[in-house]
Amino acid sequence: MSISLSAERGERRRIAESTAFSIILALGFSHFLNDMMQSLLPALYPMLKGTYGLSYAQIGMITLTSQLISSVLQPAVGLFADHRPQPYSLAVGMGVTFIGLLLLASAVSYPMLVFAAALVGVGSAVFHPEASRVARMASGGRHGLAQSLFQVGGNVGSSLGPVLAAFIVIPRGQSSVGWFSAAALLAMAVLFAVGNWYRRERFAPPQSAGRYMAERPRLSRRRVAWTVAILLAVIFSKSFYTTSLNSYYTFYLISRFDLPIETAQIYLFAFLASVAVGTLIGGPVGDRIGRKAVIWVSIVGVLPFTLVLPYANLFWTGILTIVIGMTLASASSAIIVYALELVPGRIGMVAGLFFGLSFGMAGIGAAVLGRVADATSIDTVYQLCAFLPAIGLLTALLPDLGRPQPIGARNLRTAR
């Protein structure tokens, strides 16, 4: 009888874990669609610059509008959801992105482009903090792996944007962006199903944290605040440098190496694909060796490559940007999970704060770097940004939260 009961419990656990994994994959797929649609906007910048006669500063303002709105709203959305979770807000947020895409496809003036970008920013603000919460709920304690799978979906989607722009949107014109609204509808259907699971899980009996649990030391509130400030500084350096490539890499290649737009988009795709690979690697590695080690190697380790990049030829420029993308991105999920472990019980607020800051810094960076490019040259942008990863040296001051340990091993050590 006990054997039968044990087998039944094991089967239930297996089904629950399978269901949770399918939720993580659904979130990753939705993130893929979301960021694929969002990445169409910066991929269109060379075409929009010529069509509307925009300056680099005006292009930066489009990014700033989208990213800053998302940055401000995400912590607020996350804090609200911590107190009043909204299972179907994911699908609603995707609906706002759907409207933004349709407006982007039909925009006939610069103000309409900015407004469409703002709506895309609102959609992101709703999507990211709640999706991070659901991914953590479904992680079974392997928070780094879950966060990586979720984020890598977005990275893969972002990497496809330039390719889609090069082969579909640029040849067929701005109105073809509207075709991708079908992806938003598909994402809304997937996220509605995720919302059903989320609603059921909220009222389910609490379960074990899973196979892995972090051993978190007790830190004073002052130490926690100082640690959060360091993480925000690291996010600043990472986001500012990344946006220099996301927004202006194609212009740099066209200006310095005289590449056609379509070829420059392929180079941008290679960079964004390397970001996806780095994100996928960083999460599971952080589960095993600790988040601080991953953050340290990622942010500081990229410095030699960023310093060499402005002086490399075309071949080495392509190689270096791939290495930079992989190295920087490996810290993405590690930073988020480290922050969530640092401030437990505030998943929505913390995820919203860090995702929001990433978006905000990217938007501000695009605007500032656009003005720098107008005042000097696009080459100067990369010469200045090369030193940003040096801020990552502050990682040495982060407290060691310990490596996530298998619960069985943790209990055995405690018993001893």
Side-chain angles (χ1 to χ4, degrees):
M1 180 69 177
S2 61
I3 295 177
S4 175
L5 183 60
S6 176
E8 182 179 350
R9 288 176 178 171
E11 180 65 14
R12 287 179 179 175
R13 184 168 60 250
R14 185 191 64 78
I15 294 173
E17 290 176 353
S18 175
T19 301
F21 191 68
S22 70
I23 293 299
I24 295 172
L25 292 180
L27 289 169
F29 177 67
S30 300
H31 202 184
F32 160 78
L33 295 175
N34 180 78
D35 284 24
M36 178 195 71
M37 293 180 289
Q38 289 185 358
S39 68
L40 289 174
L41 182 60
L44 286 172
Y45 285 165
M47 183 181 73
L48 296 177
K49 188 176 188 297
T51 302
Y52 295 92
L54 305 180
S55 67
Y56 286 121
Q58 286 177 307
I59 288 173
M61 188 57 63
I62 295 175
T63 301
L64 175 62
T65 300
S66 175
Q67 306 289 52
L68 194 59
I69 285 177
S70 183
S71 175
V72 171
L73 286 181
Q74 284 196 53
V77 169
L79 181 61
F80 177 80
D82 281 335
H83 298 285
R84 298 184 61 183
Q86 305 292 320
Y88 299 105
S89 62
L90 292 170
V92 172
M94 193 61 65
V96 177
T97 300
F98 169 76
I99 296 172
L101 271 183
L102 293 180
L103 285 178
L104 179 62
S106 59
V108 294
S109 65
Y110 178 68
M112 284 190 67
L113 287 174
V114 174
F115 181 65
L119 288 181
V120 173
V122 171
S124 287
V126 176
F127 176 77
H128 285 94
E130 273 297 85
S132 290
R133 177 201 303 280
V134 179
R136 192 171 179 87
M137 287 175 59
S139 69
R142 302 185 68 180
H143 301 142
L145 176 62
Q147 190 68 34
S148 283
L149 289 175
F150 166 64
Q151 288 186 221
V152 80
N155 295 145
V156 173
S158 295
S159 69
L160 285 180
V163 176
L164 295 173
F167 293 104
I168 298 178
V169 180
I170 291 176
R172 298 180 180 274
Q174 180 184 340
S175 61
S176 62
V177 173
W179 299 354
F180 296 94
S181 60
L185 293 176
L186 174 60
M188 289 172 67
V190 173
L191 291 173
F192 186 82
V194 171
N196 288 334
W197 179 87
Y198 184 14
R199 185 183 62 179
R200 292 193 304 268
E201 194 69 15
R202 280 180 56 206
F203 300 104
Q207 297 179 357
S208 166
R211 292 188 295 138
Y212 292 83
M213 178 176 292
E215 294 187 337
R216 177 178 175 269
R218 293 184 179 180
L219 302 175
S220 66
R221 296 183 67 178
R222 183 176 180 180
R223 186 72 187 279
V224 169
W226 175 243
T227 302
V228 170
I230 293 174
L231 289 175
L232 295 180
V234 172
I235 285 284
F236 163 78
S237 68
K238 178 179 178 295
S239 298
F240 228 79
Y241 189 86
T242 301
T243 200
S244 73
L245 290 170
N246 283 341
S247 296
Y248 299 109
Y249 186 37
T250 52
F251 294 112
Y252 175 73
L253 294 171
I254 293 168
S255 171
R256 183 167 183 190
F257 302 110
D258 198 28
L259 296 183
I261 293 177
E262 291 80 4
T263 304
Q265 296 284 19
I266 299 301
Y267 274 81
L268 180 58
F269 164 74
F271 163 72
L272 295 173
S274 71
V275 170
V277 174
T279 302
L280 187 60
I281 293 173
V285 172
D287 280 338
R288 293 187 175 276
I289 69 172
R291 325 293 176 197
K292 179 180 175 180
V294 173
I295 298 170
W296 174 261
V297 172
S298 171
I299 304 299
V300 179
V302 80
L303 184 59
F305 305 108
T306 61
L307 291 173
V308 173
L309 178 64
Y311 311 100
N313 60 24
L314 178 60
F315 173 79
W316 283 108
T317 294
I319 298 297
L320 286 170
T321 49
I322 289 173
V323 174
I324 289 169
M326 288 183 61
T327 308
L328 272 180
S330 63
S332 298
S333 60
I335 292 172
I336 296 294
V337 176
Y338 183 100
L340 292 174
E341 292 173 353
L342 186 70
V343 190
R346 292 289 183 267
I347 297 175
M349 184 190 72
V350 172
L353 174 65
F354 280 85
F355 274 117
L357 184 72
S358 296
F359 278 63
M361 286 299 101
I364 293 172
V368 170
L369 296 177
R371 289 192 175 274
V372 171
D374 283 335
T376 57
S377 69
I378 198 71
D379 290 15
T380 304
V381 168
Y382 291 97
Q383 292 167 3
L384 294 175
C385 288
F387 296 93
L388 284 173
I391 296 175
L393 292 169
L394 292 173
T395 305
L397 302 177
L398 292 176
D400 190 355
L401 299 185
R403 293 187 302 176
Q405 298 288 337
I407 288 178
R410 184 170 184 261
N411 292 340
L412 178 60
R413 188 169 64 252
T414 302
R416 289 177 178 173

